[in-house]
Amino acid sequence: MPQRPLILTLGLDAAAQARFDRLRELHFPPERNLVPAHVTLFHALPSAELDPIIQALRARCSSTPAFVVEATGVRSLGDGVAYVLHAPPLQRLRADLATLWAEWLTPQDRQGFRPHLTVQNKAEPAAARALLQAIQTGFIPFDFRAEGLALWRYLDGPWEAVSAHAFAQ
């Protein structure tokens, strides 16, 4: 059986998770909405390195206080819509992990990190344009809390939870 890549995401506070999950339920094509709303830090970490990855996550999360993430706007994905996110602690954490895991990173994960949360993807372009306009109209920046990191195994569509790591309180 081939090794399935690991995905690392940001853990959101419960209210934010529910809010973004609801938006995905409303706007994602149902047959493609297979995972909860998420902020991806890494798309494809090697499963063969699971133990050192988990060790690094435990160490980083235990020394990283929970922090605020600001949704500063929305952007088009062409066939979808995502919230643009701003959080300097997230940028630092992701950069530290990218340095630690540099030899394992795929070209996608070596690219610049632009934090976002997708609420619609692979939709009809007209539906994507309509949602973008609807969210942009009267958009007011808002905050939510980042509470940890979650590691997932990619299963050719759906994801399997592997581990969750809370930030220090």
Side-chain angles (χ1 to χ4, degrees):
M1 180 164 156
Q3 292 283 329
R4 304 289 186 171
L6 301 171
I7 302 161
L8 185 63
T9 65
L10 187 65
L12 314 180
D13 70 71
Q17 187 68 55
R19 175 185 187 170
F20 292 125
D21 282 343
R22 180 73 181 131
L23 286 169
R24 284 175 68 95
E25 288 170 19
L26 291 170
H27 302 293
F28 229 87
E31 70 280 2
R32 301 195 66 88
N33 193 19
L34 303 175
V35 299
H38 56 277
V39 177
T40 303
L41 278 72
F42 295 96
H43 297 86
L45 295 170
S47 308
E49 304 299 339
L50 179 61
D51 289 341
I53 288 169
I54 288 177
Q55 289 171 6
L57 295 176
R58 284 183 183 144
R60 291 301 194 284
C61 289
S62 69
S63 64
T64 301
F67 54 87
V68 172
V69 178
E70 185 180 11
T72 59
V74 290
R75 70 177 170 104
S76 172
L77 301 175
D79 58 358
V81 175
Y83 282 92
V84 177
L85 306 177
H86 177 74
L90 176 59
Q91 294 283 3
R92 286 190 298 275
L93 175 62
R94 204 276 184 188
D96 289 348
L97 291 171
T99 299
L100 180 66
W101 298 333
E103 67 187 272
W104 301 336
L105 299 184
T106 63
Q108 181 181 22
D109 285 334
R110 285 189 192 111
Q111 294 176 5
F113 178 56
R114 294 175 35 193
H116 64 279
L117 195 147
T118 303
V119 294
Q120 182 188 58
N121 203 8
K122 312 255 186 314
E124 291 297 322
R129 284 190 301 274
L131 179 59
L132 179 67
Q133 183 176 14
I135 294 176
Q136 282 177 331
T137 301
F139 176 81
I140 299 170
F142 61 92
D143 298 358
F144 58 91
R145 281 177 53 86
E147 297 190 340
L149 298 175
L151 191 63
W152 307 83
R153 182 171 286 110
Y154 179 70
L155 302 177
D156 294 325
W159 298 353
E160 172 187 47
V162 174
S163 64
H165 308 271
F167 291 139
Q169 299 301 319

